[in-house]
Amino acid sequence: MPRYYTEEHEWLDVDGDVATVGITDFAQGQLGDIVFVEVPDTGAELTAGGDAAVVESVKAASDVYAPVDGTVTEGNGQLEEDPALVNSDPEGEGWFFRMTLSDKSQLDALMNAAAYKAFCDDL
Amino acid sequence: MREDEEVATEIAPETATLPLDAWHRAKDARMVEFAGYWMPIQYEGIMAEHMWVREHAGLFDVSHMGQISLSGDGAAEALETLVPGDISALKPGRMRYSLLLAEDGGILDDLMVTNEGDQIGIVVNGAVKWEDIGYLRENLPDDITLNHNEDYGLLALQGPKAVAALSRLVPEAAGLVFMQAAKATWNGHAIALSRSGYTGEDGFEISLPNEALADFADALCAMEEVKPIGLGARDSLRLEAGLPLYGHDLDEGIDPIEGDLAFAISKRRREEGGFPGAARILGHLADGSPRKRVGLLIEGKMPVREGAKLFDGNTEIGVVTSGGFAPSVGAPIAMGYVPRDHAAPGTAIAAEVRGKRVPVTVAATPFVPHNYVRKQGG
């Protein structure tokens, strides 16, 4: 299952026409202790670059943007009870939502793991 | 010298570095810009640092704050023309919280005033220290000398184990109670300490020469009770303690009664007046102010932050001035301003966050009990 990364520090695992989306380990490290996550409702229509979710650390609220166009099929309900999952397992159990892919060609603009690592090293 | 300082502040200065800048960076602090300085917001993480202070002792670098001294005959009486506290009754070695007031009674800053024996010490907020100094110089008589002690830094050691840790370096610490101050020496340096702080816990603030700061901080952090703590935890700790932050919960549009700081209007000053805005402030003291700063408990887990509007039904009634997740409470809390008739603890209102209404309840503060040591051995 290919994994893609965005410059907004999100990851996408693509399985057929559906992607699972979360924020990267780098992102959770920057945010610090996460105390609240608001995931999108099932059925929400997302547009690449538009607001998709909100993640709040002790200090501040941050927007999570939709990496591509599509429709939300599921939000991670576990984050409501245990938002710290985003700190402890950001690229696994701490996923945010799943969405359909309206236009798979949008994936071509995203980074692979090596490119994302190089991107972070330059920050 | 003074003129040079004033000229320098008119040119927008670049972000300054604290005397302990390299010390913080060596400890892997995440540095952010605050009050014109690069300051450590966190070391290992806000939540862990917050809990450490409630259980052990945390060292804060608050050298961005302004340390000012006033000397000359009648300095206390002169200061009383600008603040509502009974400064002339303050005994040597005692301190009190007070407010620098604008002509109309609005709060220009909140500050700590100490009778240091030969002079009056004032600690003001870093973000407005230059404005404060200008206002004091403009409004105090010429025969009162004002010094801005820029060659001194300020550290705070806060938490239930602060007294044990600090006493190993400065034995005088154990002899103080809350809101007492003393002079001492450490490694040949003249230092000043007070049993005070901004976390709701027992603790101390220690003023010492810039060149002694790193060694002193190292000596404290070598103790198992002590860890360095950043601005992030300082903010969550003071919020839980119900303590307002100037520039957020207080500003020049708010008077002391609106700010729920009536305790800062000393008894004699209530009777005699003679401070800026006395008519407005004493009127609000007698009749209640139209609005008041209150604590807010938030339903659910979503933080309600500064700027969130407060509603009673569809009527906008106020605004949140500080808010966030409270680690020791385990839930979000906030403070903000509501009309007098909504200020009673238990009043149910709502906050608006990202277009959604969140139920909130007016709550008594502090959210976490204060642990001040008010009596020696008591």
Side-chain angles (χ1 to χ4, degrees):
Chain A
M1 190 156 54
R3 174 167 288 195
Y4 299 87
Y5 295 86
T6 74
E7 293 189 357
E8 308 291 344
H9 304 285
E10 294 141 318
W11 55 267
L12 291 81
D13 276 345
V14 177
D15 185 6
D17 289 329
V18 175
T20 302
V21 181
I23 67 169
T24 64
D25 187 51
F26 178 89
Q28 72 78 22
Q30 290 293 309
L31 291 169
D33 299 309
I34 288 165
V35 297
F36 179 79
V37 178
E38 186 175 289
V39 296
D41 294 332
T42 300
E45 300 285 341
L46 303 183
T47 309
D51 292 344
V54 176
V55 57
E56 300 211 25
S57 67
V58 178
K59 197 69 196 144
S62 307
D63 290 319
V64 175
Y65 303 108
V68 291
D69 297 346
T71 305
V72 176
T73 58
E74 184 184 1
N76 185 355
Q78 260 191 295
L79 297 184
E80 195 175 326
E81 273 310 300
D82 190 7
L85 270 180
V86 180
N87 291 122
S88 58
D89 192 10
E91 304 197 21
E93 291 293 302
W95 60 277
F96 276 44
F97 56 90
R98 296 202 167 99
M99 64 186 296
T100 61
L101 301 171
S102 304
D103 178 2
K104 287 186 86 166
S105 73
Q106 289 178 328
L107 297 173
D108 297 341
L110 305 181
M111 291 177 275
N112 64 19
Y116 177 68
K117 184 179 181 303
F119 174 74
C120 289
D121 288 346
D122 274 353
L123 294 178
Chain B
M1 185 70 189
R2 287 186 187 176
E3 282 175 10
D4 287 347
E5 283 172 12
E6 284 171 11
V7 168
T9 60
E10 284 170 12
I11 305 160
E14 289 187 19
T15 304
T17 52
L18 296 170
L20 283 181
D21 190 78
W23 189 91
H24 296 304
R25 291 177 194 273
K27 294 211 173 314
D28 276 339
R30 187 170 300 167
M31 304 296 280
V32 298
E33 202 179 342
F34 180 82
Y37 291 87
W38 289 109
M39 295 194 63
I41 190 162
Q42 66 169 63
Y43 301 84
E44 61 175 310
I46 295 173
M47 203 93 86
E49 291 169 30
H50 176 113
M51 299 311 288
W52 185 266
V53 173
R54 291 267 182 254
E55 290 162 17
H56 306 280
L59 182 68
F60 301 81
D61 180 9
V62 287
S63 299
H64 65 302
M65 298 185 84
Q67 300 184 68
I68 296 166
S69 51
L70 301 181
S71 54
D73 286 343
E77 291 75 14
L79 183 58
E80 283 186 359
T81 64
L82 302 175
V83 305
D86 193 345
I87 308 303
S88 41
L90 208 52
K91 295 188 176 78
R94 300 279 175 162
M95 64 198 299
R96 73 166 66 235
Y97 174 83
S98 199
L99 301 161
L100 189 64
L101 297 175
E103 205 177 339
D104 67 355
I107 300 170
L108 295 173
D109 198 3
D110 61 345
L111 38 80
M112 298 296 280
V113 181
T114 305
N115 182 339
E116 296 178 352
D118 53 345
Q119 60 184 15
I120 294 172
I122 308 177
V123 177
V124 303
N125 280 294
V128 287
K129 65 182 174 184
W130 299 107
E131 291 86 339
D132 288 358
I133 290 166
Y135 187 75
L136 289 166
R137 282 190 173 137
E138 194 180 317
N139 288 287
L140 291 173
D142 290 342
D143 55 351
I144 304 299
T145 303
L146 184 155
N147 280 307
H148 180 202
N149 305 312
E150 289 186 274
D151 42 358
Y152 277 71
L154 191 65
L155 301 176
L157 186 69
Q158 301 279 299
K161 295 182 180 170
V163 63
L166 185 59
S167 298
R168 284 182 213 126
L169 301 183
V170 187
E172 292 88 339
L176 300 176
V177 297
F178 185 56
M179 299 299 264
Q180 281 186 346
K183 291 173 183 170
T185 56
W186 179 74
N187 266 8
H189 297 287
I191 70 171
L193 62 157
S194 65
R195 201 158 190 170
S196 63
Y198 194 46
T199 61
E201 297 299 328
D202 183 27
F204 298 84
E205 292 194 347
I206 309 107
S207 171
L208 62 175
N210 288 337
E211 64 269 23
L213 285 170
D215 287 345
F216 192 79
D218 281 337
L220 283 171
C221 288
M223 299 178 192
E224 62 178 5
E225 300 97 332
V226 182
K227 285 186 178 182
I229 308 295
L231 277 183
R234 183 171 164 84
D235 192 49
S236 55
L237 288 158
R238 69 91 194 166
L239 182 62
E240 288 184 343
L243 302 171
L245 174 60
Y246 191 79
H248 299 261
D249 307 302
L250 304 175
D251 61 42
E252 59 189 52
I254 292 164
D255 75 35
I257 310 305
E258 293 171 316
D260 196 27
L261 301 170
F263 74 90
I265 322 290
S266 298
K267 183 167 176 286
R268 178 177 63 82
R269 308 302 307 279
R270 293 181 185 204
E271 290 159 5
E272 295 177 5
F275 49 85
R280 166 184 171 183
I281 292 168
L282 294 175
H284 282 173
L285 191 61
D287 305 329
S289 56
R291 60 178 175 158
K292 195 180 156 207
R293 182 173 62 91
V294 295
L296 300 166
L297 284 172
I298 316 299
E299 188 175 303
K301 291 195 167 184
M302 184 166 69
V304 174
R305 300 184 189 272
E306 181 176 3
K309 292 172 178 172
L310 295 168
F311 288 85
D312 179 4
N314 287 323
T315 310
E316 186 179 330
I317 57 165
V319 66
V320 169
T321 50
S322 279
F325 184 79
S328 300
V329 177
I333 57 172
M335 56 176 80
Y337 282 83
V338 296
R340 177 170 48 178
D341 59 355
H342 288 71
T347 305
I349 54 176
E352 190 175 272
V353 180
R354 295 185 288 271
K356 288 179 202 154
R357 294 289 172 86
V358 186
V360 308
T361 307
V362 175
T365 60
F367 297 95
V368 171
H370 292 161
N371 289 316
Y372 302 140
V373 174
R374 295 182 187 274
K375 280 196 179 127
Q376 202 47 255

